[in-house]
Amino acid sequence: MEDEIPPQIIVLVTPGMGHLIPVIEFAKRLIFHHDFLVTFLIPNDGSPIKAQEKLLNSLPKSINYMFLPPVNFDDLSDDVEVETRICLTFSRSLSSLRVALKDMVTTSRVVALVVDSFGTDAFDLAEELHLPHYIFITSSAMWLSFHLELPKLDATYSGEYKDMPEPLKLPGCVPLHGVNFVDPCQDRKNEGYKWLFKRKTQIYAVGPLIRTGEASDGSECLKWLDDQPGGSVLFISFGSGGTLSNEQLTELAIGLEMSEQRFLWVVRSPSDTAANAIYFSAQSVKDPFDFLPKGFLERTKGIGLVVSSWVPQIQILSHGSTGGFLTHCGWNSTLESIVHGVPLIGWPLYAEQKMNAVMLYDMKVALMPQFDENGLVRRKEIAQVVKTLMDGNGKEGMTVRNKMEELKHTTAAVLSENGSSTKSLCKVALKWKNP
């Protein structure tokens, strides 16, 4: 009789869009290909979640979600690291998670708990309820390799990692200098650093998991792209949470103008305090157009389009007129670029993005602009790297385009019916159905 009840997976996930999107794609594969039910349990701190709710409300009926009661952060300073906030959001939600999980285990056929990489504090609760438990990693295999090597490094090196004289050698990956470690490693005393030592279990490589399509609603930017020459447009977006400083925003705008290349720019209001100022809310508070250089929009009207609202990124990256992507190197955007074969300009901002950028540059699928001593990319550098990528005859740009095209075909192979990713997901799905 139990076999007639659909097996259910409970997923504990951060509300940040960069984590929520790949988990949703994972859930879709479970329900469409393996007949599971999925429920998201979402810890939060009461920050605005309209974008997240819109996304969640569009899901298939076999995917349910529930926001856990908001946790209180009145005891934290305003400048606390975002990784610390996320870790504490999970740990302070454990009591409400316990109630929700116990109820679901009692009333449905729960076969596994899958947690966000920040949520491993929930493992003790899963063991108490005799639930198999897994981590869903939204970052790269390089991040995982680094994560597994970190305990050894922590035990043998006592200084700050940014001062390490030699790069860290990672199995199967490019060596990594300390300045490019994930953000929590830049201060070994913060809560986020301690989180990196949470345990990992058996690994199933089920990615890349990206969105397969979005409703465009006659998007202005897609209509604009339809009128541009093939491969001529540079798409610029720093993700749902990334922000530039006022000065950097100005330098980017003028650099794009100097490059004389076509561009589609998703601009956000700047922040001089944090590169991830809108991580949770995924929306700008002020009109970003007010911060652009005077006359910029008029002077670039013939070759550029600047938008401040949501854009259908998948459709932009798959559009024939898109020839490059200036990106923050968030892993979702990176995978979406690879799947669609769009070469990159890497501009990392926070989290593990510097690590991703180093890897992409080493793979020769991305160009990297040079930051000055103040951490800024200046207008001349921006103009030069944009020209290099978008110039159809330049050797360096051609190399990046060719390498990305090769990687696109490799990705298609692992996602095919007989590909390694598909087989790996089948393996874990069978394990959950037949424990």
Side-chain angles (χ1 to χ4, degrees):
M1 191 70 177
E2 184 184 73
D3 291 340
E4 297 177 4
I5 304 173
Q8 181 161 194
I9 307 298
I10 307 299
V11 182
L12 182 66
V13 61
T14 170
M17 294 292 279
H19 286 238
L20 194 56
I21 288 171
V23 168
I24 286 175
E25 295 308 313
F26 173 64
K28 286 180 179 178
R29 292 197 183 189
L30 287 177
I31 67 169
F32 292 140
H33 300 293
H34 301 286
D35 300 318
F36 284 95
L37 299 177
V38 178
T39 296
F40 295 142
L41 298 179
I42 309 173
N44 67 97
D45 66 352
S47 297
I49 50 177
K50 289 184 179 179
Q52 289 86 332
E53 286 185 324
K54 180 179 179 181
L55 177 63
L56 291 164
N57 286 333
S58 67
L59 296 177
K61 292 181 179 179
S62 296
I63 303 178
N64 298 309
Y65 73 91
M66 180 175 73
F67 284 96
L68 296 174
V71 298
N72 190 296
F73 281 157
D74 290 346
D75 59 318
L76 301 184
S77 61
D78 292 338
D79 61 349
V80 69
E81 297 286 345
V82 66
E83 291 86 2
T84 299
R85 291 178 66 90
I86 297 173
C87 292
L88 291 176
T89 301
F90 279 99
S91 62
R92 295 183 180 185
S93 296
L94 287 177
S95 58
S96 56
L97 174 64
R98 179 186 298 274
V99 174
L101 269 183
K102 281 189 173 181
D103 179 65
M104 298 180 75
V105 168
T106 302
T107 58
S108 58
R109 185 186 165 201
V110 179
V111 296
L113 173 68
V114 177
V115 306
D116 186 278
S117 52
F118 285 97
T120 51
D121 283 342
F123 277 4
D124 290 337
L125 178 56
E127 290 174 0
E128 179 185 323
L129 297 174
H130 306 292
L131 277 179
H133 40 283
Y134 300 79
I135 302 172
F136 184 88
I137 296 175
T138 56
S139 301
S140 66
M142 184 175 181
W143 180 92
L144 178 59
S145 180
F146 169 79
H147 191 112
L148 297 174
E149 288 293 306
L150 187 59
K152 185 192 306 181
L153 178 64
D154 181 77
T156 57
Y157 185 81
S158 59
E160 291 296 338
Y161 296 133
K162 63 182 179 182
D163 300 322
M164 286 174 57
E166 299 293 333
L168 175 65
K169 295 181 179 179
L170 297 172
C173 303
V174 60
L176 193 67
H177 289 278
V179 293
N180 293 320
F181 286 6
V182 295
D183 278 1
C185 286
Q186 303 308 319
D187 180 2
R188 298 173 71 170
K189 297 184 291 294
N190 70 29
E191 187 72 23
Y193 181 69
K194 299 174 187 176
W195 154 77
L196 289 171
F197 291 86
K198 299 295 184 179
R199 53 196 158 167
K200 291 287 181 285
T201 55
Q202 184 176 355
I203 298 169
Y204 296 88
V206 300
L209 297 172
I210 72 161
R211 292 168 288 182
T212 54
E214 305 157 291
S216 63
D217 298 325
S219 173
E220 173 195 3
C221 60
L222 293 179
K223 294 178 180 177
W224 183 83
L225 281 172
D226 288 341
D227 295 330
Q228 309 309 314
S232 68
V233 176
L234 176 69
F235 176 48
I236 304 147
S237 174
F238 293 94
S240 58
T243 47
L244 302 177
S245 66
N246 272 280
E247 186 176 6
Q248 185 63 88
L249 186 72
T250 297
E251 291 294 315
L252 177 54
I254 297 176
L256 289 173
E257 184 178 354
M258 290 171 58
S259 77
E260 300 181 328
Q261 303 297 310
R262 299 175 190 273
F263 64 87
L264 169 56
W265 181 11
V266 184
V267 68
R268 305 294 187 203
S269 296
S271 170
D272 290 330
T273 59
N276 49 18
I278 55 172
Y279 177 82
F280 283 104
S281 61
Q283 56 190 332
S284 300
V285 177
K286 300 178 181 178
D287 185 352
F289 284 28
D290 293 341
F291 298 92
L292 294 172
K294 186 176 181 180
F296 169 76
L297 293 175
E298 291 75 16
R299 293 193 302 272
T300 59
K301 189 174 182 180
I303 61 170
L305 178 66
V306 183
V307 296
S308 61
S309 57
W310 173 89
V311 297
Q313 181 161 301
I314 293 294
Q315 291 183 319
I316 290 172
L317 291 173
S318 62
H319 198 285
S321 294
T322 302
F325 185 13
L326 194 161
T327 172
H328 62 310
C329 299
W331 199 236
N332 286 327
S333 291
T334 298
L335 291 179
E336 289 168 2
S337 299
I338 291 171
V339 168
H340 293 99
V342 180
L344 304 169
I345 295 174
W347 190 315
L349 296 178
Y350 62 95
E352 88 289 10
Q353 293 164 12
K354 290 181 181 178
M355 181 183 296
N356 295 341
V358 169
M359 176 182 62
L360 294 167
Y361 180 75
D362 182 72
M363 295 170 66
K364 294 183 171 59
V365 296
L367 301 180
M368 296 292 292
Q370 296 298 310
F371 290 75
D372 69 9
E373 64 277 7
N374 297 313
L376 295 172
V377 184
R378 296 297 180 180
R379 58 191 67 177
K380 289 184 179 179
E381 175 69 11
I382 293 166
Q384 181 59 47
V385 75
V386 169
K387 285 181 180 178
T388 299
L389 181 69
M390 302 305 292
D391 182 0
N393 299 314
K395 181 179 179 181
E396 192 173 2
M398 184 71 73
T399 297
V400 171
R401 284 193 294 276
N402 290 340
K403 287 289 184 180
M404 185 60 93
E405 187 67 18
E406 291 176 13
L407 196 55
K408 172 185 175 180
H409 293 303
T410 301
T411 302
V414 302
L415 291 173
S416 67
E417 185 176 350
N418 294 313
S420 59
S421 176
T422 304
K423 290 179 178 178
S424 188
L425 185 58
C426 285
K427 185 177 180 180
V428 71
L430 286 172
K431 184 175 183 177
W432 287 341
K433 288 182 177 180
N434 304 290

